Amino acid sequence: LSEIKLFIALIHYPVINKAGEVITSAITGIDLHDIARLSKTYGIKRFFVVTPLKDQAELVKRLTEHWVTGAGASYNPDRKKALELIRVAKDYSNVVSEVRKFAGMTPETVVTCANKRNDAIGYPEFKQKLKNGRPYILNFGTAWGLSGEWIDNADYVLEPVYGITGYNHLSVRSAASIIIDRLLHDN
Ligand code: SAM
């Protein structure tokens, strides 16, 4: 069983708004804390926060510096261990090259979305794939989700998480937690 090499990317562009237009969403601090803690819990190698906006990238850097090297680090060492997984990237090609350097192999791109697609890959099948030791970047969107083009260009689209009612409006934090646990809980 080769070591699982799974990375997370939280995408802030291109995502869509309520009207389906492609926008750049703002960073949400709680997304960084929650998904970094999730990543640390499940051995995710790096958590990439992708935004093309300089001021937003600065915000990510300020937040992580506080908890990794600043006052937060001594106040809460556990949080430091999670947030030090965060890397900010201005575009996805930077993420791919970082992962290629880290893993020594070109990663494949997996995207998530709440809408059913007939080209989606199921959890058991993708779990199996992960065991081949190749690097995979699991993409989560913000706002109303990843753009259609982003999803179409991915190597794999993961089956949506379905609840047990018709209600399907999970936050990215909840969706990421459910998906990561489904993929990794029994490793
Ligand atoms: N309707 C949007 C969509 O189709 O993705 C929901 C956007 S949600 C606020 C932000 C992100 O959470 C999505 O881009 C996706 O990564 C993830 N997400 C939300 N609900 C999901 C679900 N049921 N299954 C898989 N991923 C989900």
Side-chain angles (χ1 to χ4, degrees), residues 112-115 140-141 143-146 160-161 168 170 172 175 179:
T112 58
C113 82
N115 313 314
F140 292 96
W144 265 258
L146 295 165
V161 169
N168 184 351
L170 293 168
V172 63
I179 289 170

Side-chain angles (χ1 to χ4, degrees), residues 39-60:
S39 298
K40 189 64 188 176
T41 308
Y42 283 87
I44 301 293
K45 301 292 180 204
R46 283 277 182 284
F47 167 29
F48 292 95
V49 179
V50 185
T51 175
L53 302 180
K54 210 166 159 16
D55 65 321
Q56 295 286 295
E58 284 310 311
L59 188 145
V60 178

